[in-house]
Amino acid sequence: MIKHQYSSHNPESPTEAAFEPARFTVPAQGGAFDFTVTAYCTNTAVGWRRVSLWRDNALEVGRLLETVRIVVREAARRFTVFEAGRAEEAANRDLSDRLTEMALDPDGIQAWTVRVELRPPEEVRNAMRESALDRYRIEAKAEADTLRLKKTDDLRLRWQRFLEESAGNPTARYAVRLTEEPQQAAETLGTLQRERREGAEELLEHVTRLAQALESADILGLVVNSETVLRKTLALMGVRMAPIDDDSPLVPADSSV
């Protein structure tokens, strides 16, 4: 069936006449599968006379469709059945070039434009759907694993920072206890104060013992040094003194005196 669309009443104005789409099959690369081809053919004629002549010229239409089949077949065989998009693009490009060449020939087909669509068989489309779904599942799982690793690493760094800060803070464990058991706040604070008081008392006792030890050591050292200086002075003056008992704490470390 042919449809006409007139753009003007001027007999010499361009007029479009379009076929119903033509359908046929062509083999894909390897010949195991066929593409289903849908061809949309349009003729732009000039004037009423050209349209009427074209409507009755079945020979020209036959030549056009045969050219379309040959060109599309040649293009489709360069691609696998899984590359319908690329095959369709190549077929339309080759058709445009071929029709342009034929329009330059006075005896060739004139004023035609053709656009084709290629479709793989349904079993191939089903396989492509399953493959696309499998690829999507793999990519989605990979993205989820990457996100999980990133979140795990972020959590590890946060826990590491928390432990490092807690190690240097004696009250950190009480803060954690309050976070986990806020209803036990009074008991936790009481324990904290008691341990602080006991720690302070223990530290004070330790410092006191250390101060007393240092004080005793200083006094003993002063006495020993004074005794040593006194004995050396008297010896230089020729005064004879009784030796110090070996068991006396006043015996200097230097036993030359």
Side-chain angles (χ1 to χ4, degrees):
M1 180 179 179
I2 302 173
K3 295 182 178 180
H4 301 285
Q5 296 178 351
Y6 302 106
S7 59
S8 172
H9 293 290
N10 185 348
E12 298 303 321
S13 63
T15 304
E16 289 187 353
F19 269 117
E20 290 291 333
R23 293 179 174 84
F24 54 91
T25 60
V26 294
Q29 187 182 78
F33 294 96
D34 292 339
F35 289 114
T36 298
V37 182
T38 303
Y40 300 89
C41 305
T42 303
N43 178 274
T44 302
V46 177
W48 299 103
R49 183 172 181 275
R50 178 68 185 88
V51 174
S52 61
L53 289 175
W54 172 80
R55 292 182 60 182
D56 298 329
N57 195 347
L59 179 61
E60 181 172 332
V61 175
R63 288 176 57 194
L64 173 68
L65 292 179
E66 183 62 22
T67 300
V68 171
R69 289 189 182 93
I70 293 174
V71 173
V72 174
R73 183 185 180 90
E74 293 174 353
R77 280 190 172 276
R78 302 199 300 266
F79 301 91
T80 69
V81 73
F82 300 101
E83 300 175 294
R86 296 180 58 198
E88 181 177 295
E89 181 180 355
N92 279 302
R93 183 173 58 249
D94 293 352
L95 269 175
S96 177
D97 294 342
R98 180 70 61 85
L99 292 177
T100 299
E101 293 176 0
M102 296 179 69
L104 297 176
D105 185 353
D107 296 329
I109 300 174
Q110 304 292 322
W112 282 96
T113 60
V114 180
R115 178 178 60 84
V116 296
E117 295 178 356
L118 273 65
R119 184 185 182 92
E122 193 62 28
E123 58 183 312
V124 173
R125 288 169 55 83
N126 291 336
M128 293 175 67
R129 290 190 191 98
E130 189 61 32
S131 176
L133 289 174
D134 289 342
R135 186 182 301 110
Y136 172 77
R137 294 187 188 101
I138 293 172
E139 293 176 352
K141 185 177 184 303
E143 291 179 1
D145 290 342
T146 300
L147 179 61
R148 186 180 298 106
L149 288 175
K150 182 179 182 302
K151 293 299 183 181
T152 301
D153 191 56
D154 291 344
L155 184 60
R156 176 188 62 81
L157 293 176
R158 292 182 183 180
W159 275 112
Q160 181 177 344
R161 184 168 59 251
F162 169 77
L163 293 175
E164 290 174 350
E165 294 175 353
S166 299
N169 188 347
T171 61
R173 59 192 180 96
Y174 295 101
V176 174
R177 186 182 303 177
L178 285 173
T179 301
E180 296 177 346
E181 301 176 353
Q183 68 277 9
Q184 302 294 333
E187 181 181 350
T188 301
L189 292 175
T191 303
L192 173 61
Q193 292 178 354
R194 183 173 62 256
E195 290 188 1
R196 280 190 170 184
R197 183 174 62 255
E198 293 173 354
E201 292 174 352
E202 182 179 351
L203 177 61
L204 179 60
E205 183 180 352
H206 177 71
V207 171
T208 301
R209 289 197 304 267
L210 180 61
Q212 290 174 350
L214 291 176
E215 183 178 358
S216 300
D218 290 343
I219 294 174
L220 179 60
L222 178 62
V223 173
V224 171
N225 292 336
S226 300
E227 176 68 16
T228 301
V229 172
L230 178 59
R231 283 181 173 275
K232 287 186 177 182
T233 301
L234 293 176
L236 291 174
M237 295 174 61
V239 179
R240 298 180 64 84
M241 298 183 62
I244 302 176
D245 187 0
D246 292 339
D247 296 333
S248 174
L250 298 181
V251 176
D254 184 3
S255 59
S256 60
V257 180

